[in-house]
Amino acid sequence: MSFTRLVRFISTDGNTYTGDAILPAGTYDARKASEAKLIVGDIFGTYTVTDEIKTIIKLLSPLSWTQIPTVRLLGLNYAKHAIEIKMPKPTFPVLFFKPVTAIAGPTDPIPVPKLAQVDNEMDYECELVIVIGKKCVNVSEAEALDYVMGYAVGNDVSQRNWQMKKGGGQWSLGKMFDGWAPMGPAIVSSKLIKDPQALKISTKINGVVAQSESTSDQIFGVAKTIAFLSQGCTLLPGDVIWTGTPSGVGMGRKPQYWLRDGDVVEIELENVGTIVNKVEYENDFKAKL
């Protein structure tokens, strides 16, 4: 028996477990689950979804840092987003990376160090996240989805000043900070997502809608992305691929909107779930906004 919604969580005994979330009828969001069936074994190999039920006290990122070989991200992958920030539609996927230490849980705060607070241009990006389940290389677009374990939703938090102006043309400086890739709330089995290119995706800032789009606006869909990235480059089980953000980011708004200390960012992906993360400036340092 395979999982439907894989979660990693802290239970009543203080220990961390992996389980299959038990959802109330009519729901799809693992944040609404108070219990999960314990999973034992290697989730990328042989595992069992047991009948043992554990109470969920706190949801963590569905994969730990040690389970993720690489965090790949696509930029400019929604047509309307490229238009709003006045950049050309890419001919090939625009790829960059984050360290695994950027990965955080679905309700964790987003810590903002001093370096990211100065000249604050902190932005949000709702994204569909692919989780690779099997080793693959040189796969075709037709077979690419066979290598997907499942999907999550994530926030590619970005500091635009470091990304666009101070990084020497490399985007990673503005995206590298610890906790700046919260994801979850679960890995939803690819068997439950029939068409990853037909999902509503959205962001709310303090309850107000900022992004509302569909994954149908992606320039490079999930299958095309996996096929392209696997050409001559082996994708490993546990690799996560963030597939870009739609229009509505703070940088593209008029006037522009930058995240501030205390802002609550709520990101939802249809049939996958919601993550809610609060911006927290470190060391009580307040940037001049």
Side-chain angles (χ1 to χ4, degrees):
M1 175 181 172
S2 58
F3 72 84
T4 55
R5 291 174 173 83
L6 185 145
V7 291
R8 198 168 62 93
F9 60 96
I10 298 173
S11 192
T12 50
D13 59 6
N15 292 324
T16 298
Y17 298 96
T18 297
D20 194 6
I22 301 172
L23 299 185
T27 64
Y28 62 80
D29 192 329
R31 288 193 312 130
K32 300 182 184 299
S34 59
E35 296 178 323
K37 291 184 178 181
L38 182 66
I39 294 176
V40 296
D42 178 5
I43 61 171
F44 297 109
T46 301
Y47 68 88
T48 301
V49 179
T50 72
D51 292 326
E52 183 178 354
I53 295 176
K54 292 285 187 182
T55 299
I56 298 172
I57 299 299
K58 177 181 171 59
L59 283 176
L60 306 173
S61 169
L63 295 177
S64 69
W65 294 348
T66 59
Q67 292 175 299
I68 302 174
T70 307
V71 183
R72 293 174 170 86
L73 303 95
L74 266 59
L76 299 174
N77 195 34
Y78 281 74
K80 295 175 188 175
H81 173 55
I83 292 170
E84 74 172 343
I85 61 173
K86 298 179 176 59
M87 296 188 74
K89 180 179 175 180
T91 304
F92 302 102
V94 177
L95 179 66
F96 61 97
F97 296 82
K98 283 196 177 191
V100 294
T101 52
I103 297 293
T107 60
D108 291 343
I110 301 170
V112 185
K114 288 184 177 181
L115 184 64
Q117 294 174 35
V118 177
D119 300 323
N120 178 53
E121 292 185 1
M122 186 178 175
D123 212 342
Y124 50 86
E125 295 191 12
C126 61
E127 306 209 6
L128 178 154
V129 180
I130 307 165
V131 180
I132 298 296
K134 298 183 294 184
K135 178 180 176 182
C136 65
V137 63
N138 296 327
V139 301
S140 68
E141 189 174 338
E143 63 187 346
L145 296 185
D146 295 338
Y147 294 88
V148 177
M149 169 186 272
Y151 303 95
V153 63
N155 183 2
D156 172 21
V157 185
S158 305
Q159 214 282 6
R160 302 298 191 189
N161 205 28
W162 280 104
Q163 177 193 354
M164 308 301 289
K165 303 171 187 175
K166 297 182 177 180
Q170 301 296 320
W171 287 3
S172 292
L173 270 182
K175 295 170 174 280
M176 68 180 181
F177 302 104
D178 290 351
W180 280 35
M183 64 175 285
I187 298 172
V188 176
S189 171
S190 57
K191 296 177 182 179
L192 300 182
I193 306 295
K194 300 303 182 183
D195 184 1
Q197 305 311 138
L199 303 175
K200 296 177 183 177
I201 188 167
S202 63
T203 299
K204 293 180 181 178
I205 308 297
N206 302 324
V208 178
V209 175
Q211 293 179 282
S212 182
E213 196 40 90
S214 168
T215 55
S216 62
D217 191 48
Q218 286 186 347
I219 298 167
F220 305 100
V222 171
K224 189 180 292 291
T225 294
I226 293 170
F228 182 86
L229 295 182
S230 74
Q231 298 307 302
C233 181
T234 302
L235 304 181
L236 296 174
D239 277 348
V240 291
I241 303 171
W242 298 54
T243 57
T245 195
S247 60
V249 297
M251 179 172 64
R253 299 176 76 86
K254 295 180 180 180
Q256 292 178 323
Y257 181 86
W258 306 120
L259 293 175
R260 297 169 171 82
D261 186 38
D263 278 353
V264 176
V265 186
E266 180 178 345
I267 290 179
E268 181 175 7
L269 179 61
E270 184 181 12
N271 294 332
V272 172
T274 304
I275 61 174
V276 181
N277 307 94
K278 184 178 180 180
V279 176
E280 292 188 358
Y281 279 21
E282 293 183 345
N283 303 319
D284 295 325
F285 178 90
K286 307 297 181 182
K288 293 182 179 179
L289 299 177

